[in-house]
Amino acid sequence: MQSVDPTLVAYVEAEIIPRYLGFDKAHRPDHVRTVIRESLRLASRCPDADPDLVYAVAAYHDTGLVAGRERHHLVSGQIVSADATLRRWFDKRQIDLIREAVEDHRASSDHEPRSIYGKIVAEADRIIDPQTTLRRTVQYGLEHFPELDAEEQYARFRRHLQAKYAEGGYLKLWIPFSSNAVRLQELRLLLADEPRLRATFAALCREEHRNGE
């Protein structure tokens, strides 16, 4: 992270990343740190991308979860606009770019990100590692829908994965040189294999229950 202003990093580490401690298991500090790291890696291949801007977008992208998941991308944008401390590093035009990019990062967005910053962080947020994706989906279901029995949890798990990642799903990839395309194909093969998918779900549920004991 040598290319990012160290005073910006210090502020984010002290004031922004700790907010993720209060979110669901799929959006804790390890998630935002992964998105930051992947965003900066992608940005290193985009000569016009400012690392400070990339870092800020990645750091703030899910802060709106404080108000719930449904509108979190818009609330994240409001948090960016309201954070007067960001003016130490960015002018109004740059803060507007950060706000737009966090608003545009959501996988279910109905429009293409408006800038390279939105595309970079949207791509980094995908992080299509099949096992991580499946675990996060299980974690979300168990945490937010504890009233569902095992079969209902599996149905929710499969329904979400199909809607987002299957052929024709709403997830879009924006950076052609990222590794997500290959990983997405691996995930689609797993989704098409019902017995394997069900067995993976059961194993992940057992792991989560053991971790919760």
Side-chain angles (χ1 to χ4, degrees), residues 76-136:
S76 295
Q78 293 167 7
I79 289 170
V80 168
S81 295
D83 191 340
T85 307
L86 285 175
R87 297 171 196 163
R88 291 175 54 187
W89 301 280
F90 305 109
D91 60 27
K92 183 181 184 306
R93 179 189 64 82
Q94 291 171 316
I95 290 173
D96 284 343
L97 273 175
I98 297 169
R99 174 186 55 77
E100 289 179 355
V102 299
E103 289 175 350
D104 292 345
H105 86 273
R106 193 171 187 181
S108 57
S109 176
D110 61 0
H111 63 273
E112 180 176 340
R114 287 166 280 184
S115 71
I116 187 61
Y117 300 103
K119 290 179 179 179
I120 286 172
V121 176
E123 188 77 22
D125 191 40
R126 305 298 185 264
I127 315 172
I128 304 174
D129 172 73
Q131 194 68 12
T132 300
T133 298
L134 296 172
R135 179 176 292 106
R136 287 178 62 183

Coordinates of all heavy atoms in Angstrom, one line a residue, residues 76-136:
S76 N -23.9 4.3 1.8 CA -22.5 4.4 1.8 C -22.1 5.7 1.1 O -21.2 6.4 1.5 CB -21.8 3.2 1.0 OG -22.0 2.0 1.7
G77 N -22.8 6.0 0.0 CA -22.5 7.3 -0.7 C -22.8 8.5 0.2 O -22.1 9.5 0.2
Q78 N -23.9 8.4 1.0 CA -24.2 9.5 1.9 C -23.1 9.7 2.9 O -22.8 10.8 3.3 CB -25.6 9.2 2.5 CG -26.7 9.3 1.5 CD -28.0 8.7 2.1 OE1 -28.1 8.4 3.3 NE2 -29.0 8.6 1.3
I79 N -22.6 8.5 3.4 CA -21.5 8.6 4.4 C -20.3 9.3 3.9 O -19.6 10.1 4.5 CB -21.2 7.2 4.9 CG1 -22.4 6.7 5.8 CG2 -19.9 7.1 5.7 CD1 -22.3 5.2 6.1
V80 N -20.0 8.9 2.6 CA -18.8 9.6 2.0 C -19.0 11.1 1.9 O -18.2 11.9 2.3 CB -18.6 9.0 0.5 CG1 -17.6 9.9 -0.2 CG2 -18.1 7.6 0.6
S81 N -20.2 11.5 1.4 CA -20.5 13.0 1.3 C -20.5 13.7 2.6 O -20.1 14.9 2.7 CB -21.9 13.2 0.6 OG -21.8 12.7 -0.7
A82 N -20.9 13.0 3.7 CA -21.0 13.6 5.0 C -19.6 13.7 5.8 O -19.5 14.3 6.8 CB -22.0 12.9 5.8
D83 N -18.6 12.9 5.3 CA -17.4 12.8 6.0 C -16.5 14.0 5.7 O -15.7 13.9 4.7 CB -16.7 11.5 5.7 CG -15.5 11.2 6.6 OD1 -15.0 12.1 7.2 OD2 -15.1 10.0 6.7
A84 N -16.5 15.0 6.5 CA -15.7 16.2 6.2 C -14.2 16.0 6.3 O -13.5 16.7 5.6 CB -16.1 17.3 7.2
T85 N -13.8 14.9 7.0 CA -12.4 14.7 7.1 C -11.8 14.3 5.7 O -10.6 14.5 5.5 CB -12.1 13.5 8.1 OG1 -12.8 13.8 9.3 CG2 -10.6 13.3 8.3
L86 N -12.6 13.7 4.8 CA -12.1 13.4 3.5 C -11.6 14.6 2.7 O -10.8 14.5 1.8 CB -13.2 12.7 2.7 CG -13.4 11.2 3.1 CD1 -14.6 10.7 2.3 CD2 -12.2 10.3 2.9
R87 N -12.0 15.8 3.1 CA -11.6 17.0 2.4 C -10.1 17.3 2.7 O -9.5 18.1 2.0 CB -12.4 18.2 2.9 CG -13.9 18.0 2.5 CD -14.8 19.1 3.1 NE -16.2 18.7 3.1 CZ -17.1 19.2 3.8 NH1 -16.8 20.2 4.7 NH2 -18.4 18.9 3.7
R88 N -9.5 16.6 3.6 CA -8.0 16.7 3.8 C -7.3 16.2 2.6 O -6.1 16.6 2.4 CB -7.6 16.0 5.1 CG -8.1 16.6 6.4 CD -7.7 15.7 7.6 NE -6.3 15.4 7.6 CZ -5.8 14.6 8.5 NH1 -6.5 13.9 9.4 NH2 -4.5 14.3 8.5
W89 N -7.9 15.2 1.9 CA -7.1 14.5 0.8 C -7.8 14.8 -0.6 O -7.1 14.6 -1.6 CB -7.1 13.0 1.1 CG -6.4 12.7 2.4 CD1 -5.0 12.7 2.6 CD2 -7.0 12.4 3.6 NE1 -4.8 12.4 3.9 CE2 -6.0 12.2 4.6 CE3 -8.3 12.3 4.0 CZ2 -6.2 11.9 5.9 CZ3 -8.6 12.0 5.4 CH2 -7.5 11.8 6.3
F90 N -9.1 15.1 -0.6 CA -9.8 15.1 -1.8 C -10.6 16.4 -2.0 O -11.2 16.9 -1.0 CB -10.8 13.9 -1.9 CG -10.1 12.6 -1.8 CD1 -10.4 11.9 -0.6 CD2 -9.3 12.1 -2.7 CE1 -9.8 10.6 -0.4 CE2 -8.7 10.8 -2.5 CZ -8.9 10.1 -1.4
D91 N -10.7 16.9 -3.2 CA -11.5 18.1 -3.5 C -13.0 17.6 -3.8 O -13.3 16.4 -3.8 CB -11.0 18.9 -4.7 CG -10.9 18.1 -6.0 OD1 -11.7 17.2 -6.2 OD2 -10.1 18.5 -6.8
K92 N -13.9 18.5 -4.0 CA -15.3 18.2 -4.2 C -15.5 17.2 -5.3 O -16.3 16.3 -5.2 CB -16.1 19.4 -4.3 CG -17.6 19.1 -4.4 CD -18.5 20.4 -4.6 CE -20.0 20.1 -4.6 NZ -20.3 19.0 -5.6
R93 N -14.8 17.5 -6.4 CA -15.0 16.6 -7.6 C -14.6 15.2 -7.3 O -15.3 14.2 -7.6 CB -14.2 17.1 -8.8 CG -14.3 16.3 -10.1 CD -13.3 16.7 -11.1 NE -12.0 16.5 -10.7 CZ -11.3 15.3 -10.7 NH1 -11.9 14.3 -11.2 NH2 -10.1 15.2 -10.3
Q94 N -13.5 15.0 -6.6 CA -13.0 13.7 -6.2 C -13.9 13.0 -5.2 O -14.2 11.8 -5.3 CB -11.6 13.8 -5.6 CG -10.6 14.2 -6.7 CD -9.2 14.5 -6.0 OE1 -9.1 15.2 -5.0 NE2 -8.1 14.0 -6.7
I95 N -14.5 13.8 -4.3 CA -15.4 13.2 -3.3 C -16.7 12.7 -4.0 O -17.2 11.7 -3.7 CB -15.7 14.2 -2.2 CG1 -14.5 14.3 -1.3 CG2 -16.9 13.7 -1.3 CD1 -14.6 15.4 -0.2
D96 N -17.1 13.5 -5.0 CA -18.2 13.0 -5.8 C -17.9 11.7 -6.6 O -18.8 10.9 -6.7 CB -18.7 14.1 -6.8 CG -19.4 15.3 -6.1 OD1 -19.9 15.1 -5.0 OD2 -19.5 16.4 -6.8
L97 N -16.7 11.6 -7.0 CA -16.3 10.4 -7.7 C -16.3 9.2 -6.7 O -16.8 8.1 -7.1 CB -14.9 10.5 -8.3 CG -14.7 11.1 -9.7 CD1 -13.2 11.3 -10.0 CD2 -15.3 10.2 -10.7
I98 N -15.9 9.4 -5.5 CA -15.9 8.3 -4.5 C -17.3 8.0 -4.2 O -17.7 6.8 -4.1 CB -15.2 8.8 -3.2 CG1 -13.7 9.1 -3.5 CG2 -15.3 7.7 -2.1 CD1 -13.0 9.8 -2.4
R99 N -18.2 9.0 -4.0 CA -19.6 8.7 -3.7 C -20.2 7.9 -4.8 O -20.9 6.9 -4.6 CB -20.3 10.0 -3.5 CG -21.9 9.9 -3.3 CD -22.6 11.2 -3.3 NE -22.3 12.0 -4.4 CZ -22.9 11.8 -5.6 NH1 -23.7 10.8 -5.9 NH2 -22.5 12.7 -6.6
E100 N -20.0 8.3 -6.1 CA -20.7 7.6 -7.2 C -20.2 6.2 -7.3 O -20.9 5.3 -7.5 CB -20.3 8.3 -8.5 CG -21.1 9.7 -8.7 CD -20.7 10.3 -10.0 OE1 -19.8 9.8 -10.7 OE2 -21.3 11.4 -10.3
A101 N -18.9 6.0 -7.0 CA -18.3 4.7 -7.1 C -18.8 3.7 -6.1 O -19.1 2.5 -6.4 CB -16.8 4.7 -7.1
V102 N -19.0 4.2 -4.8 CA -19.6 3.3 -3.8 C -21.1 3.0 -4.1 O -21.6 1.9 -3.8 CB -19.4 3.8 -2.4 CG1 -17.9 3.9 -2.1 CG2 -20.1 5.1 -2.1
E103 N -21.7 4.0 -4.7 CA -23.1 3.8 -5.1 C -23.3 2.7 -6.2 O -24.2 2.0 -6.2 CB -23.8 5.1 -5.5 CG -24.0 6.1 -4.4 CD -24.5 7.4 -4.9 OE1 -24.5 7.6 -6.2 OE2 -24.9 8.3 -4.1
D104 N -22.2 2.7 -7.0 CA -22.3 1.8 -8.2 C -21.7 0.4 -8.0 O -21.8 -0.4 -8.9 CB -21.5 2.5 -9.4 CG -22.2 3.7 -9.9 OD1 -23.3 4.0 -9.6 OD2 -21.5 4.5 -10.6
H105 N -21.2 0.1 -6.8 CA -20.4 -1.1 -6.6 C -21.3 -2.4 -6.5 O -20.9 -3.5 -6.7 CB -19.6 -1.1 -5.4 CG -20.3 -1.5 -4.1 ND1 -21.0 -0.6 -3.4 CD2 -20.4 -2.7 -3.5 CE1 -21.5 -1.2 -2.3 NE2 -21.1 -2.5 -2.3
R106 N -22.6 -2.2 -6.2 CA -23.4 -3.3 -5.9 C -23.7 -4.2 -7.1 O -23.9 -3.8 -8.2 CB -24.8 -2.8 -5.4 CG -25.6 -3.9 -4.7 CD -26.8 -3.3 -4.0 NE -27.5 -4.4 -3.3 CZ -28.6 -4.1 -2.6 NH1 -29.2 -2.9 -2.6 NH2 -29.2 -5.1 -1.9
A107 N -23.6 -5.5 -6.9 CA -23.7 -6.5 -8.0 C -25.0 -6.5 -8.6 O -25.1 -6.7 -9.8 CB -23.4 -7.9 -7.4
S108 N -26.1 -6.1 -7.9 CA -27.4 -6.1 -8.5 C -27.8 -4.7 -9.1 O -28.9 -4.5 -9.4 CB -28.5 -6.4 -7.4 OG -28.3 -5.5 -6.3
S109 N -26.8 -3.8 -9.2 CA -27.0 -2.5 -9.8 C -27.6 -2.7 -11.2 O -27.2 -3.5 -11.9 CB -25.7 -1.7 -9.8 OG -25.9 -0.5 -10.4
D110 N -28.5 -1.8 -11.5 CA -29.1 -1.8 -12.9 C -28.4 -1.0 -13.9 O -28.9 -0.8 -15.0 CB -30.6 -1.4 -12.8 CG -30.8 0.0 -12.3 OD1 -29.8 0.7 -12.0 OD2 -31.9 0.5 -12.2
H111 N -27.2 -0.5 -13.5 CA -26.5 0.3 -14.5 C -25.0 0.1 -14.4 O -24.5 -0.4 -13.3 CB -26.8 1.8 -14.3 CG -26.3 2.4 -13.0 ND1 -27.2 2.3 -11.9 CD2 -25.2 2.9 -12.6 CE1 -26.5 2.9 -10.9 NE2 -25.3 3.2 -11.3
E112 N -24.3 0.3 -15.4 CA -22.8 0.2 -15.4 C -22.2 1.2 -14.5 O -22.7 2.4 -14.5 CB -22.3 0.3 -16.8 CG -20.8 0.2 -17.0 CD -20.3 0.2 -18.4 OE1 -21.2 0.0 -19.3 OE2 -19.2 0.5 -18.7
P113 N -21.2 0.9 -13.7 CA -20.5 1.9 -12.9 C -20.1 3.1 -13.8 O -19.6 3.0 -14.9 CB -19.3 1.2 -12.4 CG -19.7 -0.2 -12.3 CD -20.6 -0.4 -13.5
R114 N -20.2 4.3 -13.2 CA -20.0 5.5 -13.9 C -18.5 5.9 -14.1 O -18.2 6.9 -14.9 CB -20.7 6.7 -13.2 CG -22.2 6.6 -13.4 CD -23.0 7.5 -12.4 NE -23.1 6.9 -11.1 CZ -23.7 7.5 -10.1 NH1 -24.3 8.7 -10.2 NH2 -23.8 6.9 -8.9
S115 N -17.6 5.3 -13.5 CA -16.2 5.6 -13.6 C -15.4 4.3 -13.4 O -15.9 3.3 -13.0 CB -15.8 6.6 -12.5 OG -15.8 6.0 -11.2
I116 N -14.1 4.5 -13.7 CA -13.2 3.4 -13.6 C -13.1 3.0 -12.1 O -12.9 1.8 -11.8 CB -11.8 3.7 -14.1 CG1 -10.8 2.5 -14.1 CG2 -11.2 4.9 -13.3 CD1 -11.3 1.3 -14.9
Y117 N -13.3 3.9 -11.2 CA -13.3 3.6 -9.8 C -14.4 2.7 -9.3 O -14.2 1.7 -8.6 CB -13.3 4.9 -8.9 CG -12.1 5.7 -9.3 CD1 -12.2 6.9 -10.1 CD2 -10.8 5.4 -8.9 CE1 -11.1 7.6 -10.5 CE2 -9.7 6.2 -9.2 CZ -9.9 7.3 -10.0 OH -8.8 8.0 -10.4
G118 N -15.6 2.9 -9.9 CA -16.7 2.1 -9.6 C -16.5 0.7 -10.2 O -16.9 -0.3 -9.5
K119 N -15.9 0.6 -11.4 CA -15.7 -0.7 -12.0 C -14.6 -1.5 -11.2 O -14.8 -2.7 -11.0 CB -15.2 -0.5 -13.4 CG -16.3 0.1 -14.3 CD -15.9 0.3 -15.8 CE -17.0 0.8 -16.7 NZ -16.5 1.1 -18.0
I120 N -13.6 -0.8 -10.8 CA -12.5 -1.5 -10.1 C -13.0 -2.1 -8.8 O -12.8 -3.3 -8.5 CB -11.3 -0.6 -9.8 CG1 -10.5 -0.3 -11.1 CG2 -10.4 -1.1 -8.7 CD1 -9.5 0.8 -10.9
V121 N -13.8 -1.3 -8.0 CA -14.2 -1.8 -6.7 C -15.4 -2.8 -6.8 O -15.5 -3.7 -6.1 CB -14.5 -0.6 -5.7 CG1 -15.1 -1.1 -4.4 CG2 -13.3 0.2 -5.5
A122 N -16.2 -2.6 -7.8 CA -17.3 -3.6 -8.1 C -16.7 -4.9 -8.4 O -17.1 -6.0 -7.9 CB -18.2 -3.1 -9.2
E123 N -15.6 -4.9 -9.2 CA -14.9 -6.1 -9.6 C -14.2 -6.8 -8.4 O -14.3 -8.0 -8.2 CB -13.9 -5.9 -10.7 CG -13.3 -7.1 -11.3 CD -14.2 -7.8 -12.3 OE1 -15.1 -7.2 -12.8 OE2 -14.0 -9.0 -12.5
A124 N -13.5 -5.9 -7.6 CA -12.8 -6.4 -6.4 C -13.8 -7.0 -5.4 O -13.5 -8.0 -4.7 CB -12.0 -5.3 -5.8
D125 N -15.0 -6.4 -5.3 CA -16.0 -6.9 -4.3 C -16.6 -8.2 -4.7 O -17.1 -8.9 -3.9 CB -17.1 -5.8 -4.2 CG -18.0 -6.1 -3.1 OD1 -17.5 -6.5 -2.0 OD2 -19.2 -5.9 -3.2
R126 N -16.5 -8.6 -6.0 CA -17.0 -9.9 -6.5 C -16.2 -11.0 -5.8 O -16.7 -11.9 -5.3 CB -16.9 -10.0 -8.0 CG -17.6 -8.9 -8.8 CD -19.1 -8.8 -8.5 NE -19.8 -7.8 -9.3 CZ -20.0 -6.6 -9.0 NH1 -19.7 -6.2 -7.8 NH2 -20.6 -5.8 -9.8
I127 N -14.9 -10.9 -5.9 CA -13.9 -11.9 -5.3 C -14.5 -13.3 -5.5 O -14.9 -13.9 -4.5 CB -13.6 -11.6 -3.8 CG1 -13.4 -10.1 -3.6 CG2 -12.4 -12.4 -3.4 CD1 -13.2 -9.7 -2.2
I128 N -14.7 -13.7 -6.7 CA -15.3 -15.0 -6.9 C -14.4 -16.1 -6.7 O -13.7 -16.7 -7.6 CB -15.9 -15.1 -8.4 CG1 -16.8 -13.9 -8.6 CG2 -16.7 -16.4 -8.6 CD1 -17.3 -13.8 -10.0
D129 N -14.2 -16.5 -5.4 CA -13.6 -17.7 -5.0 C -14.7 -18.6 -4.6 O -15.5 -18.3 -3.6 CB -12.7 -17.4 -3.8 CG -12.1 -18.7 -3.2 OD1 -11.3 -19.4 -3.8 OD2 -12.6 -19.1 -2.1
P130 N -14.9 -19.7 -5.3 CA -16.1 -20.5 -5.1 C -16.4 -20.9 -3.6 O -17.5 -20.7 -3.1 CB -15.9 -21.8 -5.9 CG -15.1 -21.3 -7.1 CD -14.2 -20.2 -6.5
Q131 N -15.3 -21.3 -2.9 CA -15.5 -21.7 -1.5 C -15.9 -20.5 -0.6 O -16.8 -20.6 0.2 CB -14.3 -22.4 -1.0 CG -14.5 -23.1 0.3 CD -15.3 -24.4 0.2 OE1 -15.6 -24.8 -0.9 NE2 -15.8 -24.9 1.3
T132 N -15.2 -19.4 -0.8 CA -15.6 -18.2 -0.1 C -17.0 -17.7 -0.4 O -17.7 -17.3 0.6 CB -14.6 -17.1 -0.4 OG1 -13.2 -17.5 0.0 CG2 -14.9 -15.8 0.4
T133 N -17.4 -17.7 -1.6 CA -18.7 -17.3 -2.0 C -19.8 -18.2 -1.4 O -20.8 -17.7 -0.8 CB -18.8 -17.3 -3.6 OG1 -17.9 -16.4 -4.1 CG2 -20.2 -17.0 -4.0
L134 N -19.5 -19.5 -1.4 CA -20.5 -20.4 -0.8 C -20.6 -20.2 0.7 O -21.7 -20.2 1.3 CB -20.1 -21.8 -1.1 CG -20.2 -22.2 -2.6 CD1 -19.6 -23.6 -2.8 CD2 -21.6 -22.1 -3.2
R135 N -19.4 -20.0 1.4 CA -19.4 -19.9 2.8 C -20.1 -18.6 3.2 O -20.9 -18.6 4.2 CB -18.0 -19.8 3.3 CG -17.9 -19.6 4.9 CD -16.5 -19.7 5.4 NE -16.0 -21.0 5.3 CZ -15.1 -21.4 4.4 NH1 -14.6 -20.6 3.5 NH2 -14.6 -22.7 4.4
R136 N -19.9 -17.5 2.5 CA -20.5 -16.2 2.8 C -22.0 -16.3 2.6 O -22.8 -15.7 3.4 CB -20.0 -15.1 1.9 CG -18.6 -14.7 2.3 CD -18.0 -13.6 1.4 NE -18.9 -12.4 1.4 CZ -18.7 -11.3 0.7 NH1 -17.7 -11.3 -0.2 NH2 -19.4 -10.3 0.8

